[in-house]
Amino acid sequence: MSSLRFLHCADTHLDSPLRGLERYEGAPVEEIRGASRRAFDNLVSLAIEEGVAFVLIAGDLYDGDWKDYNTGLFFSRQMVRLSEAGIRAFVIAGNHDAASQITKVLRPPDNVRMFSTRAPESVVIDELGVAIHGQGFASRAVTDDLARHYPLASPGLFNIGLLHTSLEGRPGHESYAPCTLDGLRSRGYQYWALGHVHQHEVVTKAPWVVFPGNTQGRHVRETGAKGCVVVEVEDGQVCRLEHRAVDVVRWAAPAVDLTQCSTLDDVFDSVAAALVETVDAAQGRLAAVRLRLVGATPAHPALRAARERVVNECRAIAESVARGAVWLEKVAFHTRQTGSAEAAFARDDAFGELLRSIQGLGADAERLGALRDEVAELYARLPLELRSGDEPLDVSDHDFLENMLEDVRELLLDRLLSRGDAE
């Protein structure tokens, strides 16, 4: 074996719904809704342009059961494009597209190999000197270490392990198919193509253990460039790995410091400057932005009194400075009053302790799980129209609960600081 090039991706979540996003006149809803497909189209184009030998998809190709067959038809069309370029694809199921989750199926094109969900399988590509080993998820919640059942490396070949896993745990991701680096090393493979974690990460280079990240950010916690990795191999060893962006919508959450702002006009000038920087960083993509207005500022009372106007002024600014290149997903108010606020936080009494406790209120997985359990009974009593539709109240959704906690925290701080000023 001399040289080899392949593409590794994961977590494409085709046709994933983007929930909880504010809609307003001019918001590019359809453009956002089709982002996962357009990113996948870009990925296939990249594979063809780079002349890769094959594409690895390490789970969560789909976001769950198909609403209709159009999702499967779209994937088939993209695989036909690869086939016409002589490129094969190797796919495993993840927790979102586990065998138990998908009820509609289409037979994949001949160039696509879907690995078994019952036990690890191996595919040897003799002409490339490559062996690919993989197993998909049979059910959504796989808690066993699948990697320990993978076969040992095939001697004389470049061995790749295709696995959907949380590894030894990653913040914000469920612990599925957990495994250890030592366990992966024990298989003797040269490259582990992982999926499940949405942030790109080269875990180790001995051997190469890589999360490519997801191909398209789906919400404000998935900021920055999203895409895949292109891997080059020389004489049985990885010689180059490059992360390549394929996303079409770039998420950002800039913090606009309003400390020096005395009036709303000052605020809007600061917002305009922040949006210009954000558009530049998106490199020609649509920027989905959550503006975070922060700082102890003289403008805080005016912001508090005119929240609706401020939000819509920010939307108008986004349109004027970016001309359609920005979607203002949300304006989050995190400002506070100047002067007495610092003194209130420093108070050595129950009031000061309460303020500091609320300010440190975080939304970790354990707390969100407890909150979900506490409100489940109340949620079941809500009218059906609130629990269904395009933007339902969904207490099982991590982002919904996290945003709710954030809003409660800011409301409590604002109310208590105002009460403290009156004392």
Side-chain angles (χ1 to χ4, degrees), residues 7 9 12 14 40-41 43-45 47-48 54-57 61-62 71-91 106-114:
L7 185 150
C9 69
T12 58
L14 287 178
F40 194 74
D41 182 88
L43 183 143
V44 170
S45 295
I48 295 170
F54 51 83
V55 170
L56 305 173
I57 304 178
L61 168 64
Y62 305 116
T71 302
L73 289 170
F74 170 78
F75 174 68
S76 292
R77 287 196 300 272
Q78 296 302 318
M79 293 303 98
V80 168
R81 291 179 61 202
L82 289 181
S83 179
E84 291 172 346
I87 300 171
R88 299 176 65 181
F90 299 91
V91 186
L106 291 173
R107 191 171 62 178
D110 292 341
N111 63 319
V112 178
R113 174 62 180 268
M114 307 289 296

mmCIF file of all heavy atoms in Angstrom, residues 7 9 12 14 40-41 43-45 47-48 54-57 61-62 71-91 106-114:
data_model
loop_
_atom_site.group_PDB
_atom_site.id
_atom_site.type_symbol
_atom_site.label_atom_id
_atom_site.label_comp_id
_atom_site.label_asym_id
_atom_site.label_seq_id
_atom_site.Cartn_x
_atom_site.Cartn_y
_atom_site.Cartn_z
ATOM 1 N N LEU A 7 -12.439 10.226 3.599
ATOM 2 C CA LEU A 7 -13.174 11.271 4.326
ATOM 3 C C LEU A 7 -13.942 10.627 5.472
ATOM 4 O O LEU A 7 -14.603 9.596 5.291
ATOM 5 C CB LEU A 7 -14.128 12.007 3.370
ATOM 6 C CG LEU A 7 -14.891 13.220 3.911
ATOM 7 C CD1 LEU A 7 -15.156 14.215 2.786
ATOM 8 C CD2 LEU A 7 -16.224 12.806 4.542
ATOM 9 N N CYS A 9 -16.769 11.442 8.453
ATOM 10 C CA CYS A 9 -17.765 12.366 8.993
ATOM 11 C C CYS A 9 -18.671 11.621 9.957
ATOM 12 O O CYS A 9 -18.619 10.392 10.083
ATOM 13 C CB CYS A 9 -18.600 12.999 7.868
ATOM 14 S SG CYS A 9 -19.715 11.834 7.032
ATOM 15 N N THR A 12 -24.526 13.778 10.900
ATOM 16 C CA THR A 12 -25.090 14.667 9.894
ATOM 17 C C THR A 12 -26.537 15.048 10.234
ATOM 18 O O THR A 12 -27.011 16.103 9.834
ATOM 19 C CB THR A 12 -25.050 14.020 8.505
ATOM 20 O OG1 THR A 12 -25.762 12.785 8.530
ATOM 21 C CG2 THR A 12 -23.617 13.750 8.080
ATOM 22 N N LEU A 14 -29.544 14.300 9.205
ATOM 23 C CA LEU A 14 -30.305 14.775 8.059
ATOM 24 C C LEU A 14 -31.750 15.087 8.438
ATOM 25 O O LEU A 14 -32.427 14.294 9.094
ATOM 26 C CB LEU A 14 -30.284 13.739 6.937
ATOM 27 C CG LEU A 14 -28.959 13.592 6.177
ATOM 28 C CD1 LEU A 14 -29.079 12.499 5.130
ATOM 29 C CD2 LEU A 14 -28.540 14.910 5.546
ATOM 30 N N PHE A 40 -24.690 18.354 3.831
ATOM 31 C CA PHE A 40 -24.346 17.010 3.358
ATOM 32 C C PHE A 40 -24.025 17.037 1.870
ATOM 33 O O PHE A 40 -23.120 16.329 1.407
ATOM 34 C CB PHE A 40 -25.495 16.043 3.640
ATOM 35 C CG PHE A 40 -25.107 14.593 3.503
ATOM 36 C CD1 PHE A 40 -24.326 13.983 4.467
ATOM 37 C CD2 PHE A 40 -25.505 13.854 2.407
ATOM 38 C CE1 PHE A 40 -23.954 12.646 4.340
ATOM 39 C CE2 PHE A 40 -25.149 12.530 2.263
ATOM 40 C CZ PHE A 40 -24.366 11.920 3.243
ATOM 41 N N ASP A 41 -24.753 17.844 1.128
ATOM 42 C CA ASP A 41 -24.447 18.028 -0.290
ATOM 43 C C ASP A 41 -23.024 18.566 -0.460
ATOM 44 O O ASP A 41 -22.267 18.113 -1.331
ATOM 45 C CB ASP A 41 -25.470 18.977 -0.912
ATOM 46 C CG ASP A 41 -25.258 19.175 -2.402
ATOM 47 O OD1 ASP A 41 -25.812 18.387 -3.188
ATOM 48 O OD2 ASP A 41 -24.538 20.120 -2.776
ATOM 49 N N LEU A 43 -20.605 18.118 1.630
ATOM 50 C CA LEU A 43 -19.683 17.043 2.018
ATOM 51 C C LEU A 43 -19.432 16.093 0.841
ATOM 52 O O LEU A 43 -18.286 15.700 0.579
ATOM 53 C CB LEU A 43 -20.275 16.284 3.212
ATOM 54 C CG LEU A 43 -19.426 15.165 3.812
ATOM 55 C CD1 LEU A 43 -19.582 15.137 5.328
ATOM 56 C CD2 LEU A 43 -19.829 13.799 3.242
ATOM 57 N N VAL A 44 -20.490 15.722 0.157
ATOM 58 C CA VAL A 44 -20.341 14.827 -0.990
ATOM 59 C C VAL A 44 -19.511 15.501 -2.093
ATOM 60 O O VAL A 44 -18.632 14.872 -2.710
ATOM 61 C CB VAL A 44 -21.727 14.399 -1.513
ATOM 62 C CG1 VAL A 44 -21.600 13.672 -2.852
ATOM 63 C CG2 VAL A 44 -22.416 13.503 -0.490
ATOM 64 N N SER A 45 -19.775 16.777 -2.327
ATOM 65 C CA SER A 45 -18.979 17.509 -3.325
ATOM 66 C C SER A 45 -17.505 17.534 -2.935
ATOM 67 O O SER A 45 -16.626 17.379 -3.787
ATOM 68 C CB SER A 45 -19.510 18.940 -3.466
ATOM 69 O OG SER A 45 -20.817 18.955 -3.988
ATOM 70 N N ALA A 47 -15.896 15.304 -1.098
ATOM 71 C CA ALA A 47 -15.335 13.965 -1.301
ATOM 72 C C ALA A 47 -14.963 13.740 -2.761
ATOM 73 O O ALA A 47 -13.905 13.173 -3.079
ATOM 74 C CB ALA A 47 -16.339 12.906 -0.838
ATOM 75 N N ILE A 48 -15.813 14.210 -3.656
ATOM 76 C CA ILE A 48 -15.548 14.051 -5.094
ATOM 77 C C ILE A 48 -14.369 14.916 -5.523
ATOM 78 O O ILE A 48 -13.475 14.462 -6.252
ATOM 79 C CB ILE A 48 -16.814 14.388 -5.894
ATOM 80 C CG1 ILE A 48 -17.929 13.382 -5.588
ATOM 81 C CG2 ILE A 48 -16.518 14.406 -7.393
ATOM 82 C CD1 ILE A 48 -19.289 13.763 -6.146
ATOM 83 N N PHE A 54 -12.942 6.451 -0.197
ATOM 84 C CA PHE A 54 -14.203 6.096 0.446
ATOM 85 C C PHE A 54 -14.564 7.142 1.495
ATOM 86 O O PHE A 54 -13.727 7.965 1.891
ATOM 87 C CB PHE A 54 -14.141 4.700 1.087
ATOM 88 C CG PHE A 54 -12.975 4.470 1.998
ATOM 89 C CD1 PHE A 54 -13.007 4.878 3.332
ATOM 90 C CD2 PHE A 54 -11.833 3.813 1.538
ATOM 91 C CE1 PHE A 54 -11.934 4.655 4.175
ATOM 92 C CE2 PHE A 54 -10.754 3.586 2.376
ATOM 93 C CZ PHE A 54 -10.799 4.002 3.700
ATOM 94 N N VAL A 55 -15.830 7.085 1.901
ATOM 95 C CA VAL A 55 -16.365 7.977 2.927
ATOM 96 C C VAL A 55 -16.828 7.125 4.104
ATOM 97 O O VAL A 55 -17.517 6.112 3.916
ATOM 98 C CB VAL A 55 -17.547 8.807 2.382
ATOM 99 C CG1 VAL A 55 -18.254 9.564 3.517
ATOM 100 C CG2 VAL A 55 -17.063 9.787 1.322
ATOM 101 N N LEU A 56 -16.453 7.539 5.312
ATOM 102 C CA LEU A 56 -16.896 6.876 6.538
ATOM 103 C C LEU A 56 -17.931 7.753 7.232
ATOM 104 O O LEU A 56 -17.694 8.944 7.443
ATOM 105 C CB LEU A 56 -15.719 6.657 7.491
ATOM 106 C CG LEU A 56 -14.513 5.898 6.945
ATOM 107 C CD1 LEU A 56 -13.382 5.918 7.964
ATOM 108 C CD2 LEU A 56 -14.902 4.456 6.597
ATOM 109 N N ILE A 57 -19.071 7.176 7.584
ATOM 110 C CA ILE A 57 -20.118 7.902 8.308
ATOM 111 C C ILE A 57 -20.316 7.198 9.644
ATOM 112 O O ILE A 57 -20.907 6.113 9.709
ATOM 113 C CB ILE A 57 -21.433 7.961 7.511
ATOM 114 C CG1 ILE A 57 -21.193 8.587 6.130
ATOM 115 C CG2 ILE A 57 -22.495 8.752 8.278
ATOM 116 C CD1 ILE A 57 -22.427 8.640 5.246
ATOM 117 N N LEU A 61 -26.452 9.402 10.960
ATOM 118 C CA LEU A 61 -26.704 9.914 9.614
ATOM 119 C C LEU A 61 -28.060 10.609 9.591
ATOM 120 O O LEU A 61 -28.210 11.696 9.026
ATOM 121 C CB LEU A 61 -26.685 8.750 8.620
ATOM 122 C CG LEU A 61 -27.205 9.029 7.209
ATOM 123 C CD1 LEU A 61 -26.329 10.045 6.504
ATOM 124 C CD2 LEU A 61 -27.284 7.731 6.408
ATOM 125 N N TYR A 62 -29.037 9.981 10.244
ATOM 126 C CA TYR A 62 -30.375 10.557 10.360
ATOM 127 C C TYR A 62 -30.600 11.057 11.781
ATOM 128 O O TYR A 62 -29.880 10.689 12.714
ATOM 129 C CB TYR A 62 -31.433 9.513 9.986
ATOM 130 C CG TYR A 62 -31.239 8.906 8.625
ATOM 131 C CD1 TYR A 62 -30.960 7.548 8.480
ATOM 132 C CD2 TYR A 62 -31.319 9.686 7.476
ATOM 133 C CE1 TYR A 62 -30.767 6.983 7.219
ATOM 134 C CE2 TYR A 62 -31.132 9.131 6.215
ATOM 135 C CZ TYR A 62 -30.856 7.776 6.095
ATOM 136 O OH TYR A 62 -30.664 7.227 4.854
ATOM 137 N N THR A 71 -36.441 11.817 3.019
ATOM 138 C CA THR A 71 -35.125 11.826 3.666
ATOM 139 C C THR A 71 -34.246 10.724 3.094
ATOM 140 O O THR A 71 -33.076 10.941 2.753
ATOM 141 C CB THR A 71 -35.276 11.656 5.185
ATOM 142 O OG1 THR A 71 -36.096 12.699 5.712
ATOM 143 C CG2 THR A 71 -33.910 11.693 5.872
ATOM 144 N N GLY A 72 -34.794 9.517 2.991
ATOM 145 C CA GLY A 72 -34.033 8.403 2.433
ATOM 146 C C GLY A 72 -33.703 8.598 0.967
ATOM 147 O O GLY A 72 -32.618 8.226 0.504
ATOM 148 N N LEU A 73 -34.630 9.183 0.223
ATOM 149 C CA LEU A 73 -34.382 9.431 -1.195
ATOM 150 C C LEU A 73 -33.256 10.446 -1.387
ATOM 151 O O LEU A 73 -32.434 10.309 -2.301
ATOM 152 C CB LEU A 73 -35.661 9.928 -1.877
ATOM 153 C CG LEU A 73 -36.763 8.878 -2.055
ATOM 154 C CD1 LEU A 73 -38.062 9.539 -2.510
ATOM 155 C CD2 LEU A 73 -36.322 7.811 -3.062
ATOM 156 N N PHE A 74 -33.223 11.454 -0.523
ATOM 157 C CA PHE A 74 -32.138 12.440 -0.607
ATOM 158 C C PHE A 74 -30.795 11.762 -0.383
ATOM 159 O O PHE A 74 -29.837 11.988 -1.142
ATOM 160 C CB PHE A 74 -32.338 13.546 0.424
ATOM 161 C CG PHE A 74 -31.154 14.469 0.556
ATOM 162 C CD1 PHE A 74 -30.923 15.468 -0.375
ATOM 163 C CD2 PHE A 74 -30.245 14.307 1.604
ATOM 164 C CE1 PHE A 74 -29.807 16.299 -0.272
ATOM 165 C CE2 PHE A 74 -29.136 15.134 1.712
ATOM 166 C CZ PHE A 74 -28.922 16.126 0.773
ATOM 167 N N PHE A 75 -30.696 10.920 0.645
ATOM 168 C CA PHE A 75 -29.439 10.219 0.916
ATOM 169 C C PHE A 75 -29.047 9.332 -0.267
ATOM 170 O O PHE A 75 -27.879 9.310 -0.675
ATOM 171 C CB PHE A 75 -29.566 9.377 2.182
ATOM 172 C CG PHE A 75 -28.367 8.518 2.460
ATOM 173 C CD1 PHE A 75 -27.159 9.090 2.822
ATOM 174 C CD2 PHE A 75 -28.454 7.133 2.337
ATOM 175 C CE1 PHE A 75 -26.039 8.298 3.065
ATOM 176 C CE2 PHE A 75 -27.339 6.342 2.589
ATOM 177 C CZ PHE A 75 -26.129 6.921 2.951
ATOM 178 N N SER A 76 -30.009 8.632 -0.834
ATOM 179 C CA SER A 76 -29.707 7.753 -1.973
ATOM 180 C C SER A 76 -29.157 8.553 -3.150
ATOM 181 O O SER A 76 -28.194 8.128 -3.821
ATOM 182 C CB SER A 76 -30.967 6.995 -2.402
ATOM 183 O OG SER A 76 -31.348 6.059 -1.405
ATOM 184 N N ARG A 77 -29.748 9.711 -3.425
ATOM 185 C CA ARG A 77 -29.249 10.546 -4.523
ATOM 186 C C ARG A 77 -27.810 10.970 -4.287
ATOM 187 O O ARG A 77 -26.985 10.988 -5.221
ATOM 188 C CB ARG A 77 -30.142 11.778 -4.698
ATOM 189 C CG ARG A 77 -31.493 11.496 -5.320
ATOM 190 C CD ARG A 77 -32.151 12.786 -5.806
ATOM 191 N NE ARG A 77 -32.364 13.731 -4.721
ATOM 192 C CZ ARG A 77 -33.450 13.760 -3.955
ATOM 193 N NH1 ARG A 77 -34.416 12.877 -4.153
ATOM 194 N NH2 ARG A 77 -33.585 14.682 -3.013
ATOM 195 N N GLN A 78 -27.479 11.306 -3.061
ATOM 196 C CA GLN A 78 -26.115 11.721 -2.757
ATOM 197 C C GLN A 78 -25.140 10.555 -2.897
ATOM 198 O O GLN A 78 -24.002 10.729 -3.350
ATOM 199 C CB GLN A 78 -26.042 12.301 -1.342
ATOM 200 C CG GLN A 78 -26.860 13.569 -1.142
ATOM 201 C CD GLN A 78 -26.437 14.680 -2.089
ATOM 202 O OE1 GLN A 78 -25.256 14.895 -2.320
ATOM 203 N NE2 GLN A 78 -27.416 15.395 -2.645
ATOM 204 N N MET A 79 -25.573 9.354 -2.521
ATOM 205 C CA MET A 79 -24.703 8.185 -2.656
ATOM 206 C C MET A 79 -24.489 7.815 -4.123
ATOM 207 O O MET A 79 -23.416 7.321 -4.502
ATOM 208 C CB MET A 79 -25.292 7.003 -1.885
ATOM 209 C CG MET A 79 -25.310 7.194 -0.372
ATOM 210 S SD MET A 79 -23.675 7.526 0.366
ATOM 211 C CE MET A 79 -23.688 9.332 0.517
ATOM 212 N N VAL A 80 -25.484 8.071 -4.951
ATOM 213 C CA VAL A 80 -25.322 7.846 -6.391
ATOM 214 C C VAL A 80 -24.259 8.794 -6.947
ATOM 215 O O VAL A 80 -23.444 8.406 -7.797
ATOM 216 C CB VAL A 80 -26.662 8.023 -7.123
ATOM 217 C CG1 VAL A 80 -26.452 8.074 -8.637
ATOM 218 C CG2 VAL A 80 -27.615 6.889 -6.759
ATOM 219 N N ARG A 81 -24.232 10.013 -6.460
ATOM 220 C CA ARG A 81 -23.181 10.955 -6.875
ATOM 221 C C ARG A 81 -21.799 10.382 -6.538
ATOM 222 O O ARG A 81 -20.858 10.462 -7.357
ATOM 223 C CB ARG A 81 -23.353 12.303 -6.181
ATOM 224 C CG ARG A 81 -24.546 13.111 -6.605
ATOM 225 C CD ARG A 81 -24.604 14.414 -5.827
ATOM 226 N NE ARG A 81 -23.410 15.239 -6.056
ATOM 227 C CZ ARG A 81 -22.985 16.195 -5.222
ATOM 228 N NH1 ARG A 81 -23.645 16.430 -4.092
ATOM 229 N NH2 ARG A 81 -21.916 16.898 -5.505
ATOM 230 N N LEU A 82 -21.671 9.824 -5.321
ATOM 231 C CA LEU A 82 -20.390 9.212 -4.949
ATOM 232 C C LEU A 82 -20.079 8.017 -5.857
ATOM 233 O O LEU A 82 -18.936 7.847 -6.307
ATOM 234 C CB LEU A 82 -20.427 8.750 -3.491
ATOM 235 C CG LEU A 82 -20.428 9.818 -2.408
ATOM 236 C CD1 LEU A 82 -20.431 9.163 -1.021
ATOM 237 C CD2 LEU A 82 -19.225 10.740 -2.532
ATOM 238 N N SER A 83 -21.081 7.200 -6.122
ATOM 239 C CA SER A 83 -20.871 6.013 -6.949
ATOM 240 C C SER A 83 -20.363 6.378 -8.336
ATOM 241 O O SER A 83 -19.460 5.728 -8.884
ATOM 242 C CB SER A 83 -22.179 5.217 -7.043
ATOM 243 O OG SER A 83 -22.025 4.082 -7.861
ATOM 244 N N GLU A 84 -20.933 7.439 -8.908
ATOM 245 C CA GLU A 84 -20.505 7.872 -10.239
ATOM 246 C C GLU A 84 -19.061 8.342 -10.246
ATOM 247 O O GLU A 84 -18.412 8.353 -11.298
ATOM 248 C CB GLU A 84 -21.437 8.984 -10.731
ATOM 249 C CG GLU A 84 -22.854 8.490 -11.033
ATOM 250 C CD GLU A 84 -23.818 9.618 -11.321
ATOM 251 O OE1 GLU A 84 -23.459 10.796 -11.030
ATOM 252 O OE2 GLU A 84 -24.922 9.342 -11.847
ATOM 253 N N ALA A 85 -18.557 8.728 -9.057
ATOM 254 C CA ALA A 85 -17.154 9.142 -8.945
ATOM 255 C C ALA A 85 -16.266 7.985 -8.467
ATOM 256 O O ALA A 85 -15.082 8.191 -8.201
ATOM 257 C CB ALA A 85 -17.038 10.311 -7.976
ATOM 258 N N GLY A 86 -16.846 6.778 -8.359
ATOM 259 C CA GLY A 86 -16.068 5.614 -7.938
ATOM 260 C C GLY A 86 -15.750 5.596 -6.452
ATOM 261 O O GLY A 86 -14.754 4.998 -6.040
ATOM 262 N N ILE A 87 -16.591 6.211 -5.640
ATOM 263 C CA ILE A 87 -16.345 6.326 -4.203
ATOM 264 C C ILE A 87 -17.356 5.477 -3.433
ATOM 265 O O ILE A 87 -18.563 5.558 -3.673
ATOM 266 C CB ILE A 87 -16.455 7.800 -3.739
ATOM 267 C CG1 ILE A 87 -15.422 8.659 -4.474
ATOM 268 C CG2 ILE A 87 -16.284 7.914 -2.227
ATOM 269 C CD1 ILE A 87 -15.605 10.154 -4.226
ATOM 270 N N ARG A 88 -16.843 4.668 -2.507
ATOM 271 C CA ARG A 88 -17.706 3.846 -1.668
ATOM 272 C C ARG A 88 -18.002 4.572 -0.354
ATOM 273 O O ARG A 88 -17.288 5.503 0.033
ATOM 274 C CB ARG A 88 -17.035 2.495 -1.388
ATOM 275 C CG ARG A 88 -16.751 1.688 -2.636
ATOM 276 C CD ARG A 88 -16.010 0.401 -2.325
ATOM 277 N NE ARG A 88 -16.809 -0.513 -1.512
ATOM 278 C CZ ARG A 88 -16.371 -1.699 -1.104
ATOM 279 N NH1 ARG A 88 -15.134 -2.101 -1.422
ATOM 280 N NH2 ARG A 88 -17.146 -2.489 -0.386
ATOM 281 N N ALA A 89 -19.044 4.126 0.334
ATOM 282 C CA ALA A 89 -19.402 4.696 1.632
ATOM 283 C C ALA A 89 -19.651 3.567 2.624
ATOM 284 O O ALA A 89 -20.259 2.548 2.273
ATOM 285 C CB ALA A 89 -20.641 5.577 1.517
ATOM 286 N N PHE A 90 -19.181 3.774 3.859
ATOM 287 C CA PHE A 90 -19.345 2.798 4.935
ATOM 288 C C PHE A 90 -20.035 3.491 6.103
ATOM 289 O O PHE A 90 -19.573 4.531 6.578
ATOM 290 C CB PHE A 90 -17.982 2.230 5.339
ATOM 291 C CG PHE A 90 -17.281 1.527 4.216
ATOM 292 C CD1 PHE A 90 -16.415 2.223 3.370
ATOM 293 C CD2 PHE A 90 -17.505 0.182 3.966
ATOM 294 C CE1 PHE A 90 -15.773 1.583 2.319
ATOM 295 C CE2 PHE A 90 -16.877 -0.464 2.905
ATOM 296 C CZ PHE A 90 -16.001 0.236 2.083
ATOM 297 N N VAL A 91 -21.136 2.910 6.546
ATOM 298 C CA VAL A 91 -22.032 3.602 7.470
ATOM 299 C C VAL A 91 -22.384 2.717 8.663
ATOM 300 O O VAL A 91 -22.657 1.519 8.493
ATOM 301 C CB VAL A 91 -23.344 4.009 6.764
ATOM 302 C CG1 VAL A 91 -24.216 4.853 7.687
ATOM 303 C CG2 VAL A 91 -23.065 4.744 5.458
ATOM 304 N N LEU A 106 -35.087 2.145 2.828
ATOM 305 C CA LEU A 106 -34.868 1.998 1.395
ATOM 306 C C LEU A 106 -33.558 1.242 1.213
ATOM 307 O O LEU A 106 -32.588 1.489 1.944
ATOM 308 C CB LEU A 106 -34.770 3.374 0.715
ATOM 309 C CG LEU A 106 -36.039 4.219 0.642
ATOM 310 C CD1 LEU A 106 -35.712 5.594 0.089
ATOM 311 C CD2 LEU A 106 -37.102 3.535 -0.211
ATOM 312 N N ARG A 107 -33.521 0.353 0.261
ATOM 313 C CA ARG A 107 -32.288 -0.383 0.006
ATOM 314 C C ARG A 107 -31.232 0.585 -0.501
ATOM 315 O O ARG A 107 -31.461 1.309 -1.477
ATOM 316 C CB ARG A 107 -32.541 -1.486 -1.018
ATOM 317 C CG ARG A 107 -31.378 -2.452 -1.145
ATOM 318 C CD ARG A 107 -31.758 -3.643 -1.993
ATOM 319 N NE ARG A 107 -32.109 -3.263 -3.351
ATOM 320 C CZ ARG A 107 -32.446 -4.136 -4.293
ATOM 321 N NH1 ARG A 107 -32.517 -5.422 -4.002
ATOM 322 N NH2 ARG A 107 -32.745 -3.726 -5.505
ATOM 323 N N PRO A 108 -30.054 0.631 0.146
ATOM 324 C CA PRO A 108 -29.042 1.610 -0.257
ATOM 325 C C PRO A 108 -28.412 1.240 -1.598
ATOM 326 O O PRO A 108 -28.445 0.080 -2.020
ATOM 327 C CB PRO A 108 -28.006 1.513 0.870
ATOM 328 C CG PRO A 108 -28.149 0.118 1.396
ATOM 329 C CD PRO A 108 -29.624 -0.191 1.282
ATOM 330 N N PRO A 109 -27.848 2.211 -2.305
ATOM 331 C CA PRO A 109 -27.123 1.927 -3.550
ATOM 332 C C PRO A 109 -25.983 0.933 -3.308
ATOM 333 O O PRO A 109 -25.514 0.748 -2.174
ATOM 334 C CB PRO A 109 -26.597 3.310 -3.963
ATOM 335 C CG PRO A 109 -27.531 4.280 -3.316
ATOM 336 C CD PRO A 109 -27.906 3.657 -2.007
ATOM 337 N N ASP A 110 -25.500 0.323 -4.384
ATOM 338 C CA ASP A 110 -24.504 -0.746 -4.265
ATOM 339 C C ASP A 110 -23.183 -0.283 -3.662
ATOM 340 O O ASP A 110 -22.419 -1.102 -3.139
ATOM 341 C CB ASP A 110 -24.243 -1.367 -5.645
ATOM 342 C CG ASP A 110 -25.454 -2.138 -6.165
ATOM 343 O OD1 ASP A 110 -26.316 -2.498 -5.342
ATOM 344 O OD2 ASP A 110 -25.533 -2.355 -7.389
ATOM 345 N N ASN A 111 -22.881 1.022 -3.735
ATOM 346 C CA ASN A 111 -21.595 1.497 -3.210
ATOM 347 C C ASN A 111 -21.640 1.780 -1.715
ATOM 348 O O ASN A 111 -20.644 2.224 -1.135
ATOM 349 C CB ASN A 111 -21.151 2.763 -3.946
ATOM 350 C CG ASN A 111 -22.102 3.930 -3.734
ATOM 351 O OD1 ASN A 111 -23.319 3.756 -3.736
ATOM 352 N ND2 ASN A 111 -21.549 5.131 -3.553
ATOM 353 N N VAL A 112 -22.779 1.514 -1.066
ATOM 354 C CA VAL A 112 -22.948 1.802 0.360
ATOM 355 C C VAL A 112 -22.985 0.504 1.150
ATOM 356 O O VAL A 112 -23.758 -0.413 0.832
ATOM 357 C CB VAL A 112 -24.242 2.602 0.612
ATOM 358 C CG1 VAL A 112 -24.430 2.858 2.101
ATOM 359 C CG2 VAL A 112 -24.223 3.906 -0.166
ATOM 360 N N ARG A 113 -22.161 0.441 2.192
ATOM 361 C CA ARG A 113 -22.176 -0.714 3.087
ATOM 362 C C ARG A 113 -22.655 -0.269 4.459
ATOM 363 O O ARG A 113 -22.013 0.560 5.114
ATOM 364 C CB ARG A 113 -20.775 -1.322 3.195
ATOM 365 C CG ARG A 113 -20.659 -2.450 4.221
ATOM 366 C CD ARG A 113 -21.563 -3.649 3.866
ATOM 367 N NE ARG A 113 -21.461 -4.718 4.838
ATOM 368 C CZ ARG A 113 -20.605 -5.737 4.743
ATOM 369 N NH1 ARG A 113 -19.773 -5.807 3.705
ATOM 370 N NH2 ARG A 113 -20.581 -6.658 5.667
ATOM 371 N N MET A 114 -23.794 -0.816 4.892
ATOM 372 C CA MET A 114 -24.329 -0.558 6.219
ATOM 373 C C MET A 114 -23.890 -1.697 7.124
ATOM 374 O O MET A 114 -24.201 -2.868 6.876
ATOM 375 C CB MET A 114 -25.859 -0.479 6.177
ATOM 376 C CG MET A 114 -26.427 0.494 5.158
ATOM 377 S SD MET A 114 -26.172 2.232 5.569
ATOM 378 C CE MET A 114 -27.132 2.372 7.056
#
